[in-house]
Amino acid sequence: MNKISIAPSILSADFGILKEEIRAVETAGADLIHVDVMDGHFVPSITIGPLVVKGARKATKLPLDVHLMISEPEKYIDDFAKAGSDIITFHIESCNDPKAIIAKIKSFGLKAGASIKPRTDIKALDGILGDLDMVLVMTVEPGFAGQSFIKEALPKIRNLRKIYKKDIEVDGGINKDTSKLAIEAGANILVAGTSVFGADDYKKAIDDLRIGG
Ligand code: DX5
Ligand code: ZN
């Protein structure tokens, strides 16, 4: 697993010119576009919904990596799938029947991911790892961009990598220093909001993250 993919999070983009922002990170070498969906219930903030995913879909051919930080994710898989998602990731803490959600995501021909918050043990994924295409390990408490990387999540990534050969994504506080730590621990997809969209030069910011390992 040596290719490192970079997924800029549009949460930190300028929404007034979202299409241009997405195209700019695509040109700068992004591999995926990360979309942070928050409902004001599972997390305190409210961000975006399927309509924005639909708009993003028209702006790029890159895969749309949709991160659902919402309660009752099973109710919304249809909407996000039809809006043009390529990967849909739900939080293991917010659902009772993860196998049913994974099956639903896959019924649309999409990749299914499950995410764990910084304090959730990887044991929470027991029984579903084999069904998943990706695990997203949060390195901040979900809810806001611009927080500091929680280093205590690194041993979880390391332990997960020993037993899981598919994609491991990290999300939260990723910059050119913390990207190294995440890659060394075994992550291969890095989400980055502030460190990409807050930079003057998106290409340099993305390149700096990718060579972290
Ligand atoms: C946090 C979101 C992240 C966040 C990343 O709840 O899932 O994707 O926007 O932002 P930065 O890179 O600024 O920590
Ligand atoms: Zn995210």
Side-chain angles (χ1 to χ4, degrees):
M1 187 70 72
N2 30 33
K3 178 174 177 340
I4 303 301
S5 298
I6 307 298
S9 164
I10 59 169
L11 194 55
S12 300
D14 180 343
F15 273 73
I17 50 164
L18 186 57
K19 182 162 90 177
E20 287 87 339
E21 291 274 69
I22 290 172
R23 292 200 173 151
V25 290
E26 179 169 5
T27 305
D31 301 282
L32 306 147
I33 299 296
H34 187 80
V35 183
D36 284 309
V37 177
M38 306 188 191
D39 66 351
H41 187 259
F42 178 67
V43 291
S45 310
I46 298 177
T47 57
I48 60 189
L51 284 176
V52 174
V53 174
K54 201 171 167 191
R57 177 72 292 154
K58 289 189 199 145
T60 182
K61 291 201 164 45
L62 289 179
L64 297 180
D65 173 31
V66 175
H67 178 192
L68 300 181
M69 287 162 275
I70 63 175
S71 302
E72 302 185 279
E74 62 279 1
K75 285 190 181 168
Y76 301 96
I77 302 302
D78 265 70
D79 289 349
F80 283 98
K82 288 174 185 156
S85 308
D86 295 282
I87 307 170
I88 298 182
T89 297
F90 61 94
H91 268 267
I92 199 74
E93 302 89 354
S94 77
C95 67
N96 299 320
D97 190 352
K99 276 196 178 273
I101 299 186
I102 295 166
K104 184 143 197 190
I105 296 169
K106 289 191 168 179
S107 74
F108 290 94
L110 309 180
K111 289 189 174 178
S115 182
I116 51 174
K117 298 204 277 187
R119 273 173 261 284
T120 303
D121 197 275
I122 60 172
K123 281 196 176 66
L125 301 166
D126 278 357
I128 61 162
L129 276 182
D131 301 320
L132 292 170
D133 298 294
M134 181 174 90
V135 174
L136 166 50
V137 178
M138 292 300 299
T139 42
V140 299
E141 284 300 329
F144 305 94
Q147 304 180 75
S148 299
F149 184 85
I150 298 175
K151 283 193 178 151
E152 288 69 24
L154 288 169
K156 285 199 304 194
I157 299 171
R158 224 166 265 129
N159 289 333
L160 180 63
R161 181 46 86 204
K162 287 181 197 149
I163 56 168
Y164 189 67
K165 302 298 167 215
K166 292 192 255 177
D167 290 330
I168 300 181
E169 182 175 61
V170 284
D171 184 2
I174 298 291
N175 56 39
K176 63 181 164 42
D177 300 317
T178 56
S179 69
K180 285 191 189 65
L181 304 174
I183 293 168
E184 277 163 15
N188 65 299
I189 305 179
L190 312 180
V191 175
T194 311
S195 68
V196 171
F197 286 106
D200 293 331
D201 182 342
Y202 293 173
K203 178 160 178 11
K204 182 176 184 318
I206 289 172
D207 288 346
D208 283 350
L209 295 176
R210 208 192 302 277
I211 59 172

